[in-house]
Amino acid sequence: MKKEEIIKQVKELAHEGLITKKELIAAYDEAFEGKSAKSLARQSRLSAILYYIGGITIFLGISIFIGQNWSSLNDISKILVTLGSAIAAYIIGILFSRYTKLDAVSQAFYFIFGLLAPLGLHITFDIAGFEIGEAGFQSTMAAILFVACFVSFVLFKKAIFLIQSIVFGTWLYFGLTEFVIAGNPYFHTWRVGAYRILTASLTYLCLG
């Protein structure tokens, strides 16, 4: 329909009293508000993606820094750079989450925490002399991270903590089951591995 025809119809409706000036202005404003809301939603999604990319970049930067300077860093420095950075990111996320406009930024810092915390715990316990490669100790680290993220989800109701809880809970599940069946050749078959994966998959379906 052409613009002139639309204007003509509006004039006829107004003349007959079927539409008012207030209704026309409201319809005009609603059209622009809808466009504005869609534009803001797209910008918000793009900002969130960029924040997470930044989080991954920070994680990679810290990992590369540690790898390149491993021999020159003392034990305290290694712990501060990894576990210390994870705790700092978590605290910064809490501070930013107090402001609605900075919620996306806080989620990015929680994401950084989720990436750095496993690395930090791994390095900390390795320095402490624990056998971190054993299934039992892998389960311990996974349990610490799972509890931390699940409690955070309960307290702050952030989806990122739910995702991290599922990830670390899965790690805990496979670590515990490996710890239970370790040393028993009867359970080291492809069927047992398939059942473990199937159980995890069914759990995901139930959570969904």
Side-chain angles (χ1 to χ4, degrees):
M1 186 179 292
K2 294 182 179 180
K3 180 179 177 180
E4 293 78 9
E5 294 177 355
I6 296 173
I7 294 174
K8 183 180 179 181
Q9 287 186 2
V10 171
K11 287 180 178 178
E12 292 176 355
L13 292 171
H15 180 72
E16 295 174 6
L18 298 176
I19 191 170
T20 64
K21 181 179 179 180
K22 185 177 180 181
E23 290 173 337
L24 281 172
I25 293 174
Y28 183 86
D29 290 341
E30 284 181 10
F32 276 90
E33 286 175 2
K35 289 182 179 179
S36 178
K38 289 180 181 179
S39 176
L40 287 173
R42 284 196 296 268
Q43 291 177 3
S44 178
R45 287 195 294 268
L46 178 60
S47 296
I49 292 171
L50 292 175
Y51 289 144
Y52 286 122
I53 292 174
I56 294 173
T57 304
I58 291 173
F59 170 74
L60 291 175
I62 291 175
S63 300
I64 293 170
F65 172 79
I66 293 173
Q68 291 180 340
N69 299 278
W70 181 261
S71 58
S72 60
L73 290 173
N74 58 39
D75 292 344
I76 299 297
S77 298
K78 293 173 184 176
I79 294 172
L80 286 176
V81 170
T82 54
L83 188 60
S85 297
I87 295 172
Y90 183 85
I91 294 172
I92 294 171
I94 292 175
L95 295 176
F96 280 152
S97 65
R98 298 171 61 186
Y99 305 96
T100 305
K101 292 182 178 180
L102 296 176
D103 185 66
V105 182
S106 70
Q107 300 263 5
F109 277 98
Y110 292 142
F111 180 65
I112 294 171
F113 163 77
L115 293 175
L116 286 176
L119 177 63
L121 282 178
H122 187 280
I123 290 175
T124 301
F125 287 126
D126 182 45
I127 291 172
F130 292 98
E131 293 293 333
I132 55 177
E134 295 181 354
F137 205 78
Q138 288 289 318
S139 302
T140 302
M141 288 193 292
I144 293 171
L145 294 167
F146 170 74
V147 171
C149 292
F150 185 75
V151 171
S152 298
F153 171 70
V154 173
L155 292 175
F156 304 116
K157 301 296 187 295
K158 301 293 184 182
I160 186 70
F161 286 128
L162 178 60
I163 296 171
Q164 290 173 348
S165 297
I166 293 172
V167 171
F168 295 133
T170 304
W171 180 14
L172 174 60
Y173 162 72
F174 281 104
L176 278 176
T177 52
E178 181 64 27
F179 176 72
V180 171
I181 66 176
N184 192 333
Y186 178 78
F187 292 106
H188 283 278
T189 64
W190 69 269
R191 282 191 174 86
V192 174
Y195 286 137
R196 292 166 69 193
I197 295 173
L198 178 62
T199 302
S201 301
L202 291 173
T203 304
Y204 293 148
L205 290 176
C206 293
L207 289 173

